[in-house]
C-alpha cells in the first residue's frame, strides 16, 4: 500500500493548466496590442504634418481570443480603402521619405512582448511544474 498523496489534485491542476495558459496568453497578447496601438497612434501624430485624422481614426486594433491572435493597423477592408495612402506615408515614395509609424511601434514593443509571454508561461505553468527545467525559468521562448 502506497502512502503517496496528492495525485487527484495534481491531475486536476494538470487538466486546468491549458485553459489557464490560454487565458493568460490572450491577456498578454491584449496588453501588447494595446501598447502597439497606442505607440502607433502617437507616432502618427508626431510624424504626419498634414492631419486630416483619417490615418489616426482608421488605425485600429482587435484581439481574437479563439485564435489567440492580435491585430493592429488598417484591419478592415473599408479601413484599407479609406486610408489607402497610409502605405505611401508609411513606406514613402520616390518624392517623400518614409515615416514608418507602425514598424517603429512594433519594434519598440517587441522586447516587452517577449517578457509578457514568458511571464504568462511561468504564471500558467507554476513554479513546481517547471522545477526540472531550472527552478521555474523558461528557456528558449
Amino acid at each position: 500500500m502506497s502512502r503517496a498523496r496528492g495525485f487527484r489534485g495534481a491531475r486536476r491542476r494538470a487538466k486546468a493548466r491549458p485553459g489557464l495558459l490560454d487565458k493568460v496568453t490572450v491577456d498578454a497578447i491584449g496588453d501588447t496590442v494595446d501598447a502597439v496601438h497606442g505607440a502607433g497612434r502617437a507616432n502618427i501624430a508626431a510624424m504626419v504634418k498634414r492631419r486630416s485624422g483619417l490615418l489616426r481614426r482608421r488605425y485600429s486594433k482587435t484581439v481574437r481570443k479563439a485564435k489567440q491572435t492580435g491585430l493592429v493597423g488598417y484591419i478592415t477592408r473599408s479601413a484599407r480603402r479609406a486610408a489607402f495612402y497610409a502605405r505611401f506615408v508609411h513606406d514613402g515614395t520616390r518624392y517623400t521619405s518614409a515615416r514608418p509609424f507602425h514598424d517603429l511601434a512594433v519594434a519598440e514593443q517587441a522586447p516587452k512582448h517577449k517578457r509578457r509571454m514568458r511571464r504568462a508561461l511561468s504564471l500558467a505553468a507554476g513554479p513546481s511544474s517547471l522545477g526540472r527545467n531550472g527552478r521555474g525559468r523558461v528557456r528558449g521562448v
Side-chain angles (χ1 to χ4, degrees):
M1 194 164 166
S2 175
R3 293 185 179 215
R5 293 180 175 203
F7 291 115
R8 287 184 186 149
R11 278 192 213 110
R12 186 174 54 248
R13 286 190 302 275
K15 286 180 183 177
R17 192 171 295 132
L20 179 62
L21 181 60
D22 290 347
K23 181 189 177 310
V24 175
T25 302
V26 168
D27 291 344
I29 290 170
D31 292 343
T32 299
V33 165
D34 291 341
V36 169
H37 184 255
R41 291 184 97 185
N43 289 344
I44 289 172
M47 293 180 176
V48 178
K49 293 177 186 172
R50 293 180 60 193
R51 295 186 190 111
S52 66
L54 193 59
L55 281 179
R56 186 168 158 70
R57 271 182 291 164
R58 295 295 183 146
Y59 190 74
S60 60
K61 62 182 178 176
T62 185
V63 176
R64 296 176 180 161
K65 293 180 182 180
K67 292 185 178 181
Q68 295 182 359
T69 58
L71 300 172
V72 178
Y74 301 98
I75 299 170
T76 62
R77 184 178 295 159
S78 63
R80 286 191 298 273
R81 199 175 304 133
F84 176 75
Y85 68 96
R87 71 180 70 177
F88 303 122
V89 172
H90 188 271
D91 298 333
T93 64
R94 66 179 177 170
Y95 300 111
T96 62
S97 62
R99 292 168 275 183
F101 54 89
H102 182 73
D103 287 348
L104 291 175
V106 170
E108 176 186 330
Q109 294 298 322
K112 295 175 185 175
H113 175 67
K114 195 172 185 178
R115 281 194 299 271
R116 282 185 193 107
M117 295 309 286
R118 281 186 181 162
R119 186 174 46 233
L121 184 59
S122 67
L123 287 174
S128 63
S129 65
L130 293 176
R132 295 183 184 149
N133 292 12
R135 295 174 300 195
R137 287 188 217 121
V138 179
R139 295 184 180 129
V141 176

